Amino acid sequence: MTQKKKLKSVGIVLLIGLAAYLAIPQNHYIVRALIFQHVNIDDYKIFHNRTVKAGVAEPWRIHPQYNTYQLSDEQLNYFKDFRTVAFLVIKDTSLLFETYWDGYGTDSYSNSFSMAKSIVSLLIGCALDDGYIKSVDEPIANYLPEFKDGDKSKITIKHLLTMSSGLSWDEAYSSLFSLTTQGYYGNDLAKLVLDQHVVDEPGKIFEYRSGDTQLLSIIIERATGKTLSEYASEKLWTQIGAEHDALWCLDHKNGIEKAFCCFNTNARDFARFGQLVLNGGKWNGKQIVPAEYLSEALTPASYLYDPETKKNVDFYGYQWWMINVDNHKVWYARGLLGQYIFVIPDLNAVVVRLGHVRNNNRIDGAPEDVYKYIQFGIDIAKSSVKNDK
């Protein structure tokens, strides 16, 4: 056999082997990942979705200084460089500033990515208030019998909330074979997260895991007897005046929500989550999320050690991030491609940024663009005060 024929035979064998590998049901996600290659803010179009129904809409009041702020060349260039599609500022419960790019507008859906984790945290607070969950210190095995044996029985709801479960989830976005990629493109999220094992002692080390949030969502479903979208509609979306139904992507038709990502709505409605947090969990005077729970959620889990920054955690609570910028304390939700909801209490302001690209340069463990967008929001919020004088 000639060398050319040998190579051809090897190639055929490899192709047959690859086809056989991809034919295994648990590997079907790889085909979808190869087809779409990069996650996108419009990925709700390629997944099955469940509707998070809105109730009676409460449009934002328009601030007297609405859109009078002029973006600087530096700000415009930064927005352009990282392909921003929306930037919005709420000040004193009024819409102060908004601008859109790339064909997106006030009604455009956009993927939350990991901002969804912060929404799930709010729903845990609601489930506690409703009595479906007794305490964050409960073992998750009370709701997930798959975790009743061995080291898995030591994991509590608080461990999931603070990303300290010690489970084997692999948070690798660039790897075709990681659990994160399989979770995003695959069709059996429940099996994926329920089959994990313990690799570290729970409650000791902060290790960001999308699987922890997905487990929280399964606890909510099993405790309430409702889908995550149904419960989110009932407890949050209809309560905070959302103007549009939202879409939550599913792992398959009539499946479960991709709770670690993939809540889809527009900038104005995303801002409502920030305003709810700014209000201490209240909306129109009604307590939606328990104040005590929310206070805990927005307190750093400082007893945990973070291997990345090599210090104790001062930046993360219950699926919510925190940071100080220009002497302003900020709580925020964040997503993979630079999706942000920033809450700036001392300015009574909420800032939302949506877009295609995140600046992954790091400053003290946080993406560099976090500082930029917060500063832009601070500048815009403060400008309204100057103009009122």
Side-chain angles (χ1 to χ4, degrees):
M1 183 182 294
T2 65
Q3 185 68 20
K4 188 175 181 180
K5 287 183 178 181
K6 286 182 180 179
L7 290 173
K8 185 177 180 180
S9 297
V10 170
I12 291 171
V13 170
L14 289 174
L15 284 173
I16 292 172
L18 178 61
Y21 180 76
L22 295 177
I24 300 171
Q26 68 187 45
N27 295 331
H28 288 178
Y29 80 94
I30 295 174
V31 177
R32 177 176 276 184
L34 288 171
I35 291 171
F36 296 106
Q37 295 189 9
H38 301 289
V39 297
N40 191 280
I41 62 174
D42 298 321
D43 278 351
Y44 68 91
K45 296 176 182 179
I46 68 172
F47 296 127
H48 293 286
N49 300 284
R50 185 168 287 127
T51 300
V52 183
K53 294 180 180 178
V56 178
E58 296 178 34
W60 290 104
R61 293 187 298 114
I62 302 300
H63 195 282
Q65 304 296 330
Y66 173 73
N67 269 11
T68 57
Y69 183 87
Q70 296 295 311
L71 294 172
S72 68
D73 289 343
E74 176 199 353
Q75 291 169 332
L76 283 168
N77 288 335
Y78 200 86
F79 286 134
K80 181 180 178 181
D81 288 347
F82 293 98
R83 299 183 61 200
T84 300
V85 301
F87 193 77
L88 175 150
V89 179
I90 302 293
K91 178 77 169 73
D92 300 328
T93 70
S94 297
L95 182 57
L96 172 62
F97 179 88
E98 63 181 337
T99 188
Y100 301 91
W101 294 268
D102 198 23
Y104 289 77
T106 57
D107 301 327
S108 301
Y109 284 105
S110 185
N111 195 338
S112 66
F113 290 103
S114 288
M115 292 199 303
K117 294 179 170 69
S118 302
I119 299 170
V120 171
S121 173
L122 297 177
L123 290 174
I124 288 289
C126 294
L128 284 162
D129 195 43
D130 284 342
Y132 290 121
I133 295 172
K134 296 181 179 66
S135 167
V136 296
D137 294 314
E138 281 188 282
I140 65 174
N142 288 2
Y143 306 91
L144 309 176
E146 296 88 344
F147 285 78
K148 64 180 172 48
D149 297 324
D151 289 338
K152 293 201 291 188
S153 66
K154 301 175 184 177
I155 301 172
T156 67
I157 292 173
K158 183 183 284 188
H159 293 148
L160 298 181
L161 286 166
T162 56
M163 298 291 186
S164 61
S165 68
L167 287 168
S168 53
W169 186 269
D170 173 22
E171 195 74 15
Y173 296 97
S174 59
S175 170
L176 185 63
F177 303 102
S178 75
L179 290 179
T180 306
T181 302
Q182 189 171 346
Y184 191 75
Y185 289 111
N187 60 10
D188 195 349
L189 258 176
K191 184 178 188 305
L192 196 67
V193 295
L194 293 171
D195 281 355
Q196 295 180 88
H197 60 277
V198 174
V199 294
D200 291 307
E201 183 181 353
K204 299 293 184 182
I205 297 172
F206 173 84
E207 189 72 44
Y208 189 85
R209 298 177 179 89
S210 290
D212 284 7
T213 311
Q214 195 63 44
L215 287 171
L216 288 171
S217 74
I218 296 175
I219 288 172
I220 291 170
E221 288 191 335
R222 292 187 180 181
T224 65
K226 302 170 184 178
T227 68
L228 194 66
S229 294
E230 288 171 338
Y231 197 59
S233 172
E234 174 190 335
K235 304 304 297 186
L236 295 177
W237 212 230
T238 58
Q239 302 298 314
I240 61 178
E243 295 187 69
H244 296 76
D245 291 343
L247 298 174
W248 212 324
C249 299
L250 306 178
D251 60 345
H252 60 270
K253 187 175 181 179
N254 300 321
I256 64 171
E257 287 80 355
K258 299 175 193 285
F260 65 92
C261 69
C262 310
F263 185 99
N264 298 271
T265 189
N266 57 78
R268 287 186 179 187
D269 278 348
F270 271 129
R272 296 175 187 278
F273 291 118
Q275 188 66 54
L276 178 64
V277 168
L278 184 57
N279 294 350
K282 290 183 179 180
W283 197 272
N284 291 335
K286 179 182 178 182
Q287 197 74 46
I288 305 300
V289 179
E292 183 178 354
Y293 172 83
L294 192 57
S295 177
E296 292 176 9
L298 301 174
T299 300
S302 57
Y303 52 89
L304 297 177
Y305 177 75
D306 174 36
E308 181 182 345
T309 59
K310 294 181 171 51
K311 61 181 183 180
N312 281 24
V313 170
D314 60 359
F315 52 82
Y316 202 77
Y318 293 174
Q319 311 271 300
W320 281 86
W321 301 86
M322 46 222 60
I323 198 170
N324 281 277
V325 177
D326 194 23
N327 294 318
H328 296 278
K329 178 174 66 175
V330 180
W331 304 309
Y332 68 108
R334 86 187 195 199
L336 177 64
L337 301 182
Q339 288 68 41
Y340 298 111
I341 303 169
F342 299 111
V343 181
I344 312 175
D346 66 334
L347 293 179
N348 200 24
V350 175
V351 179
V352 174
R353 185 273 179 182
L354 306 174
H356 293 285
V357 180
R358 183 172 74 186
N359 183 342
N360 281 318
N361 292 331
R362 297 273 170 159
I363 300 176
D364 292 332
E368 180 185 295
D369 59 5
V370 166
Y371 294 86
K372 287 286 189 180
Y373 298 135
I374 292 174
Q375 190 61 62
F376 295 166
I378 289 171
D379 292 345
I380 293 169
K382 286 184 174 179
S383 74
S384 71
V385 177
K386 293 176 184 176
N387 291 337
D388 280 340
K389 291 180 179 179

